[in-house]
Amino acid sequence: MSNKQEFTISEETRRFLDSEHLLFINGDWVKSSSGELIPVIDPATEKKIADVQSGGSDDIDSAVKAARDALSGEWSKIPSHDRAQILHRLSDEIEANFLVLSELEVLDNGMPMELAQYSIASHGVTLLRYYASWAPKIHGKTIPVSPGGAMNGDSLTYTKREPIGVVGAIVPWNSPLIFAILKLAPALAAGCTLVLKPAELTPLTTLFFGHLIEKSGIPKGVVNIVTGLGESAGDALSKHNDVDKITFTGSTEVGKKIVSSSVGNLKKVTLELGGKSPVIVFDDADLEKTIPGVARACFFLQGQNCMAGTRVFVHEDVHDELVNGVKAMAESFQIGHGLIQTNDFGPLISEEQRKRVIKYIKQGISEGATLICGGNEVNEEGFFIEPTIFTDVTAEMTIAREEIFGPVLCIEKFGNESLEEIANRANQTTYGLSGSVWTSDISTGHKMAALIDSGQVSINCHAAVDSAIPFGGNKQSGWGREFGEEGLDSYLKTKATTVMY
Ligand code: NAD
């Protein structure tokens, strides 16, 4: 790890950090009703970089009321073509403030600068433009009715697609700005209004984004941002009886709580939850591409990534070559502060998360897996941990079953099992989010992809994420899909109208 943690930030980022961070409700920046604050820590230095408001149920009430009023106000009269222009303006604002947003994302979350810039450019900007282009294309259908049925005679039935209403969006810390935009862009394209609750660990880019929302001409109350703890602000939002839909990204454990909190008014719920995704490497895989692909699949964002490929199943004939190659890559990462451009491996988000990951590593060792590399904290400031690889992992081991959400790769071998037998092993998990197959045989690739029980499978790459590609989980990895047309659909409801004439 680089001993030097010296880096510089732009004047504008410094000014923003030093400013007072408030809640954004009904177009105004206000203090929380409790007056309590939450410190925001740079995970690479462990130093406090800001304080944000700890919003509670009163603040959520005000934000939901503002969103409800805005739903039937000026916003509802803005034609869909103009909603599209608003989303494009917001995207322009992101481009104009690219450096500040990237620096804040690194300081807040710990990710390397290159990754922050890549994700803001290729997901933040693109998602807004992608959903902007959907806004004017939202329309219903005309539907022929059955002859001789109750509507026999002259009738016309048509459907309209309407905004689902007031949306509560609860976002995790691992890619904070992108997840906020992933919820906001389709919601606004559909004509909804929303209350956004960022993760308490990473609220800064979303708050800065709030200032861009103000500039982009979105009417007041359409977007509200309430920072706060999950058990207070998040819970109040998911229980609120005047919220029509919750869109949640986070852990499966909290996802289950959200489901029970939503029963009061039977609000609609979409969930993007945890994962434990398989990576299957056949003996005919092109290892030159597979080795970096497997390393990135797990160690991207220090493994704090829902679609991380954390369970590798590799054919015994290429096992050692793959393990040695991935180990060499893991050991080549430059660990350190993300604002130092040469660093490509950041810290975990918090001390709590680091302790959790270390506990899993100890369990891996005690349950009999072979530690190939890593396993240690990096003893400098910041919540760093080495990229870690285990071989000889078996399905019963805790590290093979539970989502670690850290840089821990578990490798298992297979021999001459059938594709179905390999798939059975890969599918032996309560999750079903992502997965990948690495082979030179196109037929093996497609057959294996069909057998993996996940919302997304990639062949010769891992986690192909794009604005247009639906993404979401099977089993306990979630409900519904985000991205693409399906991601828009979940912010719309259908009204059927029949006229007899
Ligand atoms: P988390 O579930 O702890 O928190 C997510 C959000 O929920 C935060 O904003 C938090 O404040 C809020 N929250 C916490 N308790 C709540 C409650 N009782 N009621 C309402 N809201 C509450 O998750 P995290 O630690 O921020 O993120 C890591 C998890 O997210 C991992 O499991 C990861 O796999 C998952 N994740 C999934 C996806 C996906 O697309 N499937 C993407 C990113 C992260």
Side-chain angles (χ1 to χ4, degrees), residues 170-175 179 182 197-201 228-238 248-255 257-258 261 271-275 304-307 349 353 356 403 405 431 433 471-473 477-478 482-483:
I170 304 178
V171 175
W173 46 259
N174 61 339
S175 233
F179 283 118
L182 177 58
K197 197 213 79 68
E200 50 271 48
L201 292 167
L229 301 175
E231 58 267 28
S232 46
D235 185 56
L237 188 57
S238 50
F248 171 78
T249 301
S251 59
T252 297
E253 185 193 347
V254 175
K257 284 189 194 162
I258 303 251
S261 299
L271 304 170
E272 294 287 352
L273 308 175
Q304 302 173 116
N305 167 16
C306 55
M307 57 217 170
I349 190 68
Q353 184 70 5
R356 201 171 154 261
E403 185 186 43
F405 225 56
Y431 296 108
L433 191 58
F471 178 81
S477 285
E482 290 189 304
F483 293 91

Side-chain angles (χ1 to χ4, degrees), residues 143-448:
I143 303 192
V145 296
S146 26
M151 271 144 340
N152 199 8
D154 293 328
S155 74
L156 168 71
T157 295
Y158 60 89
T159 59
K160 283 172 75 177
R161 303 285 278 150
E162 298 175 338
I164 207 160
V166 172
V167 173
I170 304 178
V171 175
W173 46 259
N174 61 339
S175 233
L177 181 63
I178 302 312
F179 283 118
I181 293 175
L182 177 58
K183 296 179 181 320
L184 173 140
L188 295 191
C192 298
T193 59
L194 73 162
V195 177
L196 200 53
K197 197 213 79 68
E200 50 271 48
L201 292 167
T202 54
L204 295 177
T205 36
T206 309
L207 288 173
F208 188 85
F209 187 53
H211 294 283
L212 306 184
I213 288 168
E214 254 188 313
K215 281 202 217 164
S216 67
I218 295 175
K220 66 177 188 157
V222 171
V223 181
N224 305 274
I225 301 171
V226 179
T227 51
L229 301 175
E231 58 267 28
S232 46
D235 185 56
L237 188 57
S238 50
K239 284 190 176 138
H240 205 291
N241 280 335
D242 208 21
V243 169
D244 298 300
K245 170 192 164 89
I246 288 285
T247 169
F248 171 78
T249 301
S251 59
T252 297
E253 185 193 347
V254 175
K256 289 179 184 178
K257 284 189 194 162
I258 303 251
V259 171
S260 41
S261 299
S262 66
V263 296
N265 67 337
L266 286 180
K267 58 176 70 70
K268 311 295 175 271
V269 177
T270 45
L271 304 170
E272 294 287 352
L273 308 175
K276 191 81 186 166
S277 298
V279 173
I280 300 171
V281 181
F282 288 92
D283 52 355
D284 62 355
D286 174 353
L287 289 186
E288 233 175 82
K289 292 188 181 137
T290 306
I291 286 168
V294 169
R296 271 196 299 272
C298 177
F299 297 128
F300 169 79
L301 248 178
Q302 296 81 250
Q304 302 173 116
N305 167 16
C306 55
M307 57 217 170
T310 47
R311 292 182 306 138
V312 170
F313 298 86
V314 54
H315 192 279
E316 57 195 3
D317 289 353
V318 290
H319 175 270
D320 293 356
E321 201 179 335
L322 182 96
V323 170
N324 291 336
V326 177
K327 174 174 182 275
M329 280 210 66
E331 289 175 342
S332 74
F333 289 128
Q334 293 296 306
I335 303 178
H337 201 291
L339 285 177
I340 298 170
Q341 286 285 353
T342 47
N343 290 335
D344 55 4
F345 196 89
L348 298 188
I349 190 68
S350 62
E351 183 56 22
E352 188 190 341
Q353 184 70 5
R354 179 159 70 169
K355 281 194 182 132
R356 201 171 154 261
V357 174
I358 290 286
K359 193 170 147 221
Y360 276 115
I361 292 172
K362 288 187 174 151
Q363 255 172 310
I365 295 168
S366 69
E367 290 177 17
T370 306
L371 181 68
I372 293 293
C373 69
N376 300 304
E377 293 184 9
V378 177
N379 287 325
E380 297 218 8
E381 60 176 16
F383 309 123
F384 294 95
I385 190 170
E386 293 169 340
T388 300
I389 301 176
F390 281 108
T391 56
D392 304 316
V393 176
T394 58
E396 308 71 44
M397 291 179 184
T398 313
I399 54 170
R401 287 184 288 105
E402 296 184 12
E403 185 186 43
I404 299 175
F405 225 56
V408 182
L409 180 61
C410 300
I411 302 185
E412 301 184 35
K413 254 185 220 170
F414 62 84
N416 292 324
E417 288 126 288
S418 67
L419 296 187
E420 285 73 16
E421 284 166 330
I422 299 165
N424 281 344
R425 288 173 62 185
N427 290 334
Q428 242 181 69
T429 162
T430 54
Y431 296 108
L433 191 58
S434 188
S436 57
V437 185
W438 300 77
T439 174
S440 300
D441 182 338
I442 194 78
S443 152
T444 305
H446 284 294
K447 282 183 187 157
M448 197 69 221

Side-chain angles (χ1 to χ4, degrees), residues 90 185 308 488:
L90 193 49
L488 178 70

Side-chain angles (χ1 to χ4, degrees), residues 66-101:
R68 176 61 60 193
D69 292 346
L71 187 67
S72 52
E74 184 192 344
W75 180 238
S76 64
K77 300 180 184 64
I78 295 181
S80 56
H81 284 82
D82 295 345
R83 284 207 306 274
Q85 289 316 313
I86 288 175
L87 287 173
H88 279 301
R89 278 207 296 279
L90 193 49
S91 199
D92 295 341
E93 287 293 342
I94 294 184
E95 285 176 320
N97 292 276
F98 187 62
L99 179 66
V100 185
L101 284 166

